Amino acid sequence: MSYLKGLKCRECGKDYPKEALHVCELCFGPLEVNYEYEQIGKTLTRDVISKRPPNMWRYRELLPIEGEPSVGAQVGFTPLIRAKNLGEALGVKELYLKNDAVNFPTLSFKDRVVSVAISRAREMGFKIIACASTGNLANSVAANSAACGMESYVFIPHDLEQSKVLGTLVYGANVVSIRGTYDEVNRLCSEVAGKYGWAFVNINIRPYYAEGSKTFGYEIAEQLGWKLPRHIIVPMAGGSLITKIWKAFKEFHTLGFVKNLDTRVYGAQAAGCSPIVNAVKEGTELIRPVRPNTIAKSLAIGNPADGYYSAKTITNSGGWADNVTDEEIISAMKLLAETEGVFAETAGGVTLGVTKRLIEQGRIPRDESIVVSITGNGLKTQEALAGKLGEVTVINSKLAEFDDLVKSAGKVYAVRA
Ligand SMILES: *Cc1c(COP(=O)(O)O)cnc(C)c1O
Ligand SMILES: [Zn+2]
């Protein structure tokens, strides 16, 4: 049973059929998926959801496909961690990490959007899957296309981390590296999509793709015991995830699954690429594009497609936005690893770094529930930490050398006679 009604323009409200469309022909506004909410309200309950398998498809009535998902059956339902040690380090009472660093199969939240996009693209009859990516989307499109036997074309900027490139090639994807920024990659891809008629998950079928991000929000609500957090901090690249988490919270509230809708949403970017943060701080919804320069490459989008809507989401929820330097990103990555045993990628450093700032500034109070969104895995951005961590000690396999080592470190251990 599908509750996918059609597409609707976010600006003028004009209705469109459920096809591969993404821009309104009247006002050029972006199209968004619309559902038969009344019907959903009659059949879907918290109890029904709770009894389903632990993956993102437990919310399938609220996802834009018509049949069964054809790929990504295991995606989602990642841990929500009560982070006591980190909470203590930051001086806050109730802190959680939503950890998509361990999302299946490619260790970032992008598997959520891609499994929806590919399932929908197949329903619409597309034969080739493609994307413009800052890295994680490339990994996910390549892996999930391979898993369902489809050919994929992945377009990336030339300066991505090695793990993100190898972690795309390994699945047999066609990888095209562009001499230019992500925004230049994206522009080329719009032209390719028009000419070749491929399913570019984040361009011509973006309305369907973006809905996958809602599951990140649904899961947080369910894992908190059908409650919303008072504060959530979200990393922003194109600005889609943050708007969809908010949409998820609103839908759960409308359906009566959570009682209060009182979450403040905060956006995080790197200082080297913060067009959305700048807009929020200046009190405008006008996004001024920038040329990115940061180690947080997965967030390096200088002209964000959903920048306007993410700034609005933040402001309307009573939240705020901020950015952090590359140095702060690295120290936040270390803090997260050392306190909670979670190795997040640079985007996680951005999110935690901004969280720390907002708490110190008093923008986020210390005694209310806070969720930090961890969206990608640190093993994929190892270059960022090269030369920034402690050294490995090398010795010969001689007990005496180890004794010297312990002694020189000035540590005292009980030694058996
Ligand atoms: C893509 C990405 C984001 C941001 O996604 P948008 O929806 O484009 O804002 C955040 N974190 C990671 C790790 C990503 O790969
Ligand atoms: Zn319109």
Side-chain angles (χ1 to χ4, degrees):
M1 183 73 195
S2 168
Y3 301 93
L4 171 56
K5 190 171 176 184
L7 300 173
K8 199 178 191 67
C9 174
R10 283 191 81 155
E11 284 306 310
C12 72
K14 180 173 161 54
D15 286 310
Y16 287 86
K18 39 192 168 188
E19 289 166 12
L21 303 165
H22 66 119
V23 188
C24 177
E25 62 192 17
L26 292 185
C27 75
F28 300 106
L31 304 185
E32 189 178 33
V33 175
N34 195 12
Y35 299 87
E36 312 272 5
Y37 283 110
E38 240 174 71
Q39 293 306 317
I40 296 174
K42 282 183 197 153
T43 54
L44 194 63
T45 64
R46 301 196 295 200
D47 201 42
V48 167
I49 294 171
S50 308
K51 292 192 171 115
R52 290 177 176 170
N55 60 63
M56 65 178 260
W57 300 103
R58 64 207 268 116
Y59 315 104
R60 57 160 306 165
E61 285 84 349
L62 293 157
L63 293 171
I65 60 170
E66 293 184 282
E68 289 297 312
S70 56
V71 68
Q74 314 294 328
V75 178
F77 226 74
T78 55
L80 182 76
I81 302 164
R82 178 70 207 266
K84 289 211 170 117
N85 301 332
L86 180 59
E88 222 164 86
L90 298 179
V92 296
K93 240 172 75 185
E94 195 185 348
L95 187 73
Y96 302 87
L97 304 171
K98 175 60 174 169
N99 189 13
D100 265 16
V102 293
N103 201 14
F104 181 84
T106 66
L107 309 179
S108 87
F109 96 91
K110 292 297 198 302
D111 292 320
R112 299 175 184 274
V113 281
V114 168
S115 51
V116 171
I118 295 184
S119 292
R120 184 65 189 144
R122 283 158 69 94
E123 288 180 349
M124 293 190 291
F126 283 99
K127 298 283 177 270
I128 294 185
I129 306 295
C131 71
S133 173
T134 58
N136 285 314
L137 187 57
N139 297 164
S140 187
V141 160
N144 286 295
S145 298
C148 63
M150 291 188 79
E151 186 168 4
S152 64
Y153 271 83
V154 165
F155 296 76
I156 53 173
H158 65 101
D159 62 347
L160 284 195
E161 298 92 344
Q162 195 186 18
S163 297
K164 297 226 168 125
V165 178
L166 295 181
T168 306
L169 286 169
V170 71
Y171 303 108
N174 300 290
V175 181
V176 185
S177 179
I178 308 294
R179 291 183 207 95
T181 63
Y182 171 83
D183 299 285
E184 289 162 312
V185 175
N186 192 56
R187 210 172 311 130
L188 171 68
C189 286
S190 295
E191 291 175 329
V192 175
K195 180 159 180 180
Y196 290 81
W198 297 343
F200 274 80
V201 297
N202 56 336
I203 301 176
N204 53 339
I205 59 168
R206 189 174 178 87
Y208 303 97
Y209 155 95
E211 290 288 290
S213 287
K214 292 191 306 185
T215 59
F216 192 90
Y218 298 146
E219 288 174 17
I220 291 170
E222 186 179 348
Q223 289 168 319
L224 282 174
W226 303 102
K227 254 177 32 202
L228 301 180
R230 287 285 283 123
H231 310 274
I232 183 165
I233 305 90
V234 185
M236 304 184 293
S240 174
L241 174 64
I242 195 168
T243 64
K244 294 297 176 173
I245 290 175
W246 179 246
K247 183 176 179 186
F249 288 175
K250 269 197 317 198
E251 285 177 338
F252 264 22
H253 184 251
T254 306
L255 290 165
F257 296 171
V258 296
K259 212 163 86 204
N260 300 316
L261 180 64
D262 55 2
T263 306
R264 291 188 186 156
V265 182
Y266 304 83
Q269 295 194 296
C273 181
S274 46
I276 307 173
V277 173
N278 295 344
V280 170
K281 287 187 170 177
E282 288 162 17
T284 165
E285 281 153 5
L286 194 77
I287 306 291
R288 263 183 299 109
V290 301
R291 198 172 175 89
N293 179 19
T294 169
I295 57 167
K297 295 177 195 284
S298 61
L299 303 182
I301 297 185
N303 190 13
D306 288 296
Y308 165 79
Y309 293 104
S310 46
K312 244 169 99 154
T313 298
I314 292 165
T315 312
N316 291 347
S317 76
W320 191 241
D322 213 334
N323 55 23
V324 280
T325 63
D326 287 357
E327 288 309 309
E328 288 173 284
I329 293 170
I330 289 165
S331 61
M333 288 168 78
K334 287 200 236 176
L335 178 66
L336 181 62
E338 288 171 5
T339 55
E340 295 296 334
V342 171
F343 186 15
E345 70 146 87
T346 45
V350 169
T351 312
L352 180 57
V354 166
T355 302
K356 186 164 178 283
R357 268 204 179 189
L358 294 170
I359 291 166
E360 283 164 2
Q361 292 167 358
R363 290 210 179 252
I364 298 181
R366 295 176 184 272
D367 58 348
E368 296 178 349
S369 56
I370 305 168
V371 171
V372 179
S373 308
I374 301 301
T375 49
N377 194 297
L379 292 170
K380 296 203 224 175
T381 61
Q382 295 185 48
E383 288 93 330
L385 297 177
K388 308 279 183 184
L389 303 177
E391 299 261 307
V392 175
T393 312
V394 183
I395 59 171
N396 294 305
S397 73
K398 298 238 169 16
L399 184 56
E401 290 197 23
F402 182 69
D403 287 342
D404 289 344
L405 184 70
V406 172
K407 234 181 274 165
S408 71
K411 295 197 176 161
V412 182
Y413 296 102
V415 178
R416 289 199 290 173

